Amino acid sequence: MRIAMISMHTSPLEQPGVGDAGGMNVYIINTARQLARRGVTVDVYTRATRPSQGEIVEVEENLRVINVIAGPYEGLAKEELPTQLAAFAGGVIEFVRCRQGLAYDAIHSHYWLSGQVGWLLRDLWDVPLIHTAHTLAAVKNAHRSEGDTPESEARRICEQQLVDNADLLVVNTVDETRELVAHYDADAAKIEVVPPGADTELFTPGTHRNTELSRRHLGIPLHAKVVAFVGRLQEFKGPQVLLRATAEIFERDPHRNLRVIICGGASGASASSSTYRNLAGELGLANRVRFLDPRPPEELVSVYQAADIVAVPSYNESFGLVAMEAQATGTPVVAAAVGGLPIAVADGETGLLVHGHDPAQWADALEQLLDDDERRIAMGEAAVGHAAQFSWAASAGRLAAVYERALAIELPDCQGRKAQG
C-alpha cells in the first residue's frame, strides 16, 4: 500500500511548539513512522520553507517527506496560505508526473488547507480521500477565549466541503464525532475514531536523580514545587490562564515555594512571546516564571520530569498530546475539561479536570495537588499505566485498517459527485 499524506501548512519535521508546528506535527510523523514500519509506503507532501531542505527527505525506510515549492520560502503567514493552494497542488501533480510509475492507493490529508488539495487530487487520481481535521473552525469559535480572534467563515465553508466530499473522516475521539455531526451535519457512518498515542519508550518516568538533574539544567530550585506548561504561546492554549492562576496562588500565600515553567514559542500572526513575559511581569511573577524555548522531544522529557504538575488550560483540544506525554513520564496533569482532554486525563486518578478557565478555579485545583504530596505522587504513578494504553503503533494499526476500508469503497462516478459548497 502506498499513501500520499498531505500536510501543506507545516512539515512533520518541524520543531513542535514553534510557529504553526504543534500536536499535528507530532501526530503525522509518529503515525507515518509506525505505518512505514508496518510495510506501508508513505510520502508526506508539505510546503518548502527553506531551500536547504532539498526536495526529498528520506526519513526512514518506506517514509519520505517531499518539500513542494509554493510561494516564498519565508514571510508567508498561515492565513495567507490559501493563495498558494493551486501552486502547491500543481507542485504535487508535477512531482508525481515526473516519476513514471509513481501512484498512490489513497490520500490522507491533515487540516483543512491540505484537505482542499487532497480533494482535488482525489478526483484527479481517482483514489479515496481520508481527511483528518485536527481542529475545526466552528468548534474553535464556540470555545475561544474572549480576546481570541475568531476563525473565518471561509475556513468553515472549506471544512464543510471536506466533510461532504471526503470518503472517510478520521477523528481522535468520540467527542469529535459528535462535534462533526452537530456543527457540520457529518454522516457518522463515514467517521472513524483513531486515538493518538505517546512515545512511551521516550517519555518515561524519571527517578529522583533525574528530577534533580533536570531542575539543575533548567535552573529551577531543587526544593520548589514546579508547574509546567508546554505548547504554543497563544490565547487558545491558555498560558495566560496559568499565569493568572499562579498570581492568585501567591496572593493567597506570598511565601509559597512555587515556580512555573512556560515552554513554547509564539504562534499566530499577532502572537508574541513578549505578551506572556509582560503579563508575568505585570502580575508580579517575573522571578517566579521561567520561559523556555521550544525543544525537541528528546529534551522535552526533562521538562516533564522536572515538573510536579503539568497544566493544560486549553480552550479546546482534539485529544491532548502534551497531557499524554506528561503522564507517560509520571507527572500528573491539571487540564481543562474540554475536547478530548477528559479521555487523555483520568479525572481524580491521573490528574484533575477543571470546568472553565477562571483563574481562581485553576488556583484551587493546582493547590489541591501542590499541597497533597501523597495524592500527587499516587496520581503520577497511575498516570504511567494510563498512558501505556495509548501508543503510536496502535494508532497506526487502526489507521491501516481505515485505509483498507477506504480502498473497499466504490468511488462515485461523475454523476455521483456532491456539489461544492
Side-chain angles (χ1 to χ4, degrees), residues 60-184:
E60 61 179 75
E61 186 179 0
N62 295 331
L63 172 60
R64 59 185 181 173
V65 172
I66 295 147
N67 295 295
V68 178
I69 296 176
Y73 288 115
E74 297 179 288
L76 201 61
K78 184 170 71 173
E79 292 76 15
E80 299 172 294
L81 287 179
T83 65
Q84 300 304 314
L85 285 172
F88 183 81
V92 176
I93 293 168
E94 182 182 13
F95 181 89
V96 173
R97 180 178 58 81
C98 292
R99 284 155 181 80
Q100 194 170 8
L102 178 59
Y104 296 101
D105 297 296
I107 301 163
H108 188 175
S109 57
H110 296 271
Y111 196 63
W112 70 274
L113 290 166
S114 302
Q116 289 289 309
V117 174
W119 181 19
L120 169 67
L121 297 176
R122 186 276 301 269
D123 289 347
L124 183 66
W125 294 342
D126 199 28
V127 298
L129 170 64
I130 301 101
H131 179 66
T132 302
H134 293 280
T135 63
L136 293 162
V139 176
K140 289 190 75 172
N141 286 341
H143 295 282
R144 69 186 177 92
S145 63
E146 187 175 329
D148 206 7
T149 304
E151 295 296 325
S152 69
E153 177 64 7
R155 172 181 170 178
R156 190 204 64 77
I157 290 170
C158 288
E159 289 173 343
Q160 185 66 64
Q161 292 171 329
L162 292 169
V163 168
D164 290 343
N165 288 279
D167 298 289
L168 291 176
L169 300 166
V170 171
V171 298
N172 293 328
T173 64
V174 173
D175 187 61
E176 272 191 276
T177 299
R178 289 192 287 265
E179 288 173 339
L180 275 172
V181 172
H183 292 284
Y184 294 86

Side-chain angles (χ1 to χ4, degrees), residues 128-282:
L129 170 64
I130 301 101
H131 179 66
T132 302
H134 293 280
T135 63
L136 293 162
V139 176
K140 289 190 75 172
N141 286 341
H143 295 282
R144 69 186 177 92
S145 63
E146 187 175 329
D148 206 7
T149 304
E151 295 296 325
S152 69
E153 177 64 7
R155 172 181 170 178
R156 190 204 64 77
I157 290 170
C158 288
E159 289 173 343
Q160 185 66 64
Q161 292 171 329
L162 292 169
V163 168
D164 290 343
N165 288 279
D167 298 289
L168 291 176
L169 300 166
V170 171
V171 298
N172 293 328
T173 64
V174 173
D175 187 61
E176 272 191 276
T177 299
R178 289 192 287 265
E179 288 173 339
L180 275 172
V181 172
H183 292 284
Y184 294 86
D185 196 27
D187 178 1
K190 71 174 189 179
I191 302 174
E192 294 279 1
V193 179
V194 178
D199 187 343
T200 52
E201 294 182 5
L202 174 62
F203 296 101
T204 56
T207 63
H208 182 69
R209 178 169 172 75
N210 289 142
T211 299
E212 286 190 354
L213 287 173
S214 296
R215 291 193 177 188
R216 283 198 184 100
H217 292 155
L218 296 172
I220 301 295
L222 296 181
H223 301 295
K225 294 290 175 63
V226 178
V227 178
F229 169 95
V230 175
R232 287 174 288 167
L233 300 185
Q234 57 180 199
E235 288 282 306
F236 196 71
K237 294 293 183 181
Q240 73 282 358
V241 176
L242 175 58
L243 290 173
R244 292 191 174 101
T246 302
E248 173 71 20
I249 290 173
F250 279 114
E251 186 174 334
R252 298 174 184 179
D253 181 3
H255 303 293
R256 183 182 284 274
N257 191 10
L258 172 65
R259 296 292 186 276
V260 172
I261 299 173
I262 305 285
C263 181
S267 175
S270 60
S272 171
S273 60
S274 62
T275 299
Y276 301 97
R277 293 175 186 270
N278 293 340
L279 177 60
E282 292 167 8

Side-chain angles (χ1 to χ4, degrees), residues 34 38 194-195 389-399:
Q34 293 298 329
R38 294 174 64 92
V194 178
Q389 300 175 54
F390 299 85
S391 73
W392 289 117
S395 300
R398 293 183 182 183
L399 273 181

Side-chain angles (χ1 to χ4, degrees), residues 13 28-38 59-60 63:
L13 302 180
I28 293 172
I29 192 61
N30 281 285
T31 54
R33 284 185 187 277
Q34 293 298 329
L35 284 165
R37 292 167 190 176
R38 294 174 64 92
V59 180
E60 61 179 75
L63 172 60

